[in-house]
Amino acid sequence: GAVVSQHPSRVICKSGTSVKIECRSLDFQATTMFWYRQFPKQSLMLMATSNEGSKATYEQGVEKDKFLINHASLTLSTLTVTSAHPEDSSFYICSARASHTEAFFGQGTRLTVV
Amino acid sequence: DAKTTQPPSMDCAEGRAANLPCNHSTISGNEYVYWYRQIHSQGPQYIIHGLKNNETNEMASLIITEDRKSSTLILPHATLRDTAVYYCIVRTRLESQAGTALIFGKGTTLSVSS
């Protein structure tokens, strides 16, 4: 299957700082990318959907000013957690799809805010 | 309302077949059944999908009942590496083509032991 790479795989940051997570489609052009968050022992929760070149669509309850999503190219989307707090500690997962294909998932990023 | 119902957990002995059930009694005629799995601390991985016929690939087999109200994912010879959370998802072809996000339920935690 197609390869989606996330970086970093894990990150620790101080409370109040911002952290950026990258999601790249390595061997295909991703017209749509999705960002999920997963807390321990829970399922994946969709945060937002982004199409290349347009603003992301956020799910209800997800603060767009806190979770900044940029999808500037067909192979890269970034999620920036701004002014991170300990409750933002979670497993963040991206997925990417090309037109008329299924989505493929990155390996996830473990964020710990201390 | 959830479109699918899965048991929260199952156990399987290594080398034996793992049969994971999924109820989707309200499935409509144009909805497919998809299966994904998530190994601990990784992103989800596509396994298989089907409409009404049984399907088989190198990873698993999917058996869909004639009335399509339930299905079973079969891992013919489970290994320790198959320990994961397995998600059964129902979605239409239009949703797949339109690029809408996968919505995950709680899934079944499969534990394979030696």
Side-chain angles (χ1 to χ4, degrees):
Chain A
V3 178
V4 176
S5 177
Q6 263 184 261
H7 179 80
S9 58
R10 59 177 64 230
V11 58
I12 300 173
C13 72
K14 292 185 177 180
S15 187
T17 63
S18 296
V19 61
K20 180 184 287 187
I21 302 170
E22 292 187 348
C23 178
R24 293 180 184 273
S25 56
L26 298 186
D27 52 1
F28 68 100
Q29 293 185 324
T31 52
T32 309
M33 287 186 170
F34 308 94
W35 287 95
Y36 294 82
R37 179 169 54 181
Q38 186 176 33
F39 292 108
K41 298 190 183 301
Q42 294 188 22
S43 188
L44 289 82
M45 296 298 296
L46 179 68
M47 298 176 67
T49 300
S50 73
N51 293 295
E52 185 265 338
S54 60
K55 290 184 178 180
T57 302
Y58 290 80
E59 295 299 300
Q60 191 173 13
V62 178
E63 300 175 58
K64 63 180 181 180
D65 294 330
K66 181 170 181 63
F67 299 99
L68 302 179
I69 292 172
N70 184 285
H71 189 172
S73 78
L74 285 171
T75 60
L76 173 65
S77 176
T78 60
L79 167 67
T80 301
V81 183
T82 63
S83 186
H85 291 286
E87 57 264 32
D88 298 323
S89 298
S90 188
F91 192 53
Y92 292 87
I93 305 166
C94 74
S95 72
R97 68 179 296 276
S99 298
H100 304 296
T101 71
E102 284 305 321
F104 297 92
F105 289 82
Q107 69 270 40
T109 296
R110 177 79 56 193
L111 170 64
T112 303
V113 184
V114 297
Chain B
D1 291 336
K3 286 188 173 183
T4 64
T5 305
Q6 298 177 253
S9 63
M10 293 185 65
D11 295 319
C12 180
E14 190 178 21
R16 304 296 294 269
N19 299 292
L20 295 102
C22 179
N23 285 322
H24 31 78
S25 58
T26 61
I27 194 170
S28 61
N30 65 344
E31 288 183 314
Y32 287 71
V33 180
Y34 284 79
W35 284 84
Y36 283 77
R37 74 178 182 183
Q38 185 182 23
I39 295 170
H40 183 63
S41 292
Q42 296 183 23
Q45 176 189 24
Y46 166 81
I47 301 174
I48 198 168
H49 77 280
L51 181 64
K52 55 182 179 181
N53 297 324
N54 297 336
E55 301 288 343
T56 296
N57 62 21
E58 65 278 5
M59 290 184 68
S61 295
L62 174 61
I63 308 297
I64 303 174
T65 58
E66 194 167 338
D67 63 8
R68 302 187 69 240
K69 293 185 176 182
S70 65
S71 61
T72 301
L73 179 74
I74 301 173
L75 308 178
H77 305 287
T79 70
L80 298 178
R81 288 177 293 182
D82 291 321
T83 292
V85 180
Y86 287 77
Y87 298 98
C88 170
I89 300 170
V90 167
R91 65 198 246 121
T92 66
R93 176 180 283 277
L94 181 61
E95 287 173 322
S96 293
Q97 292 178 340
T100 58
L102 287 164
I103 303 301
F104 292 83
K106 296 182 179 180
T108 296
T109 298
L110 174 68
S111 298
V112 181
S113 57
S114 56

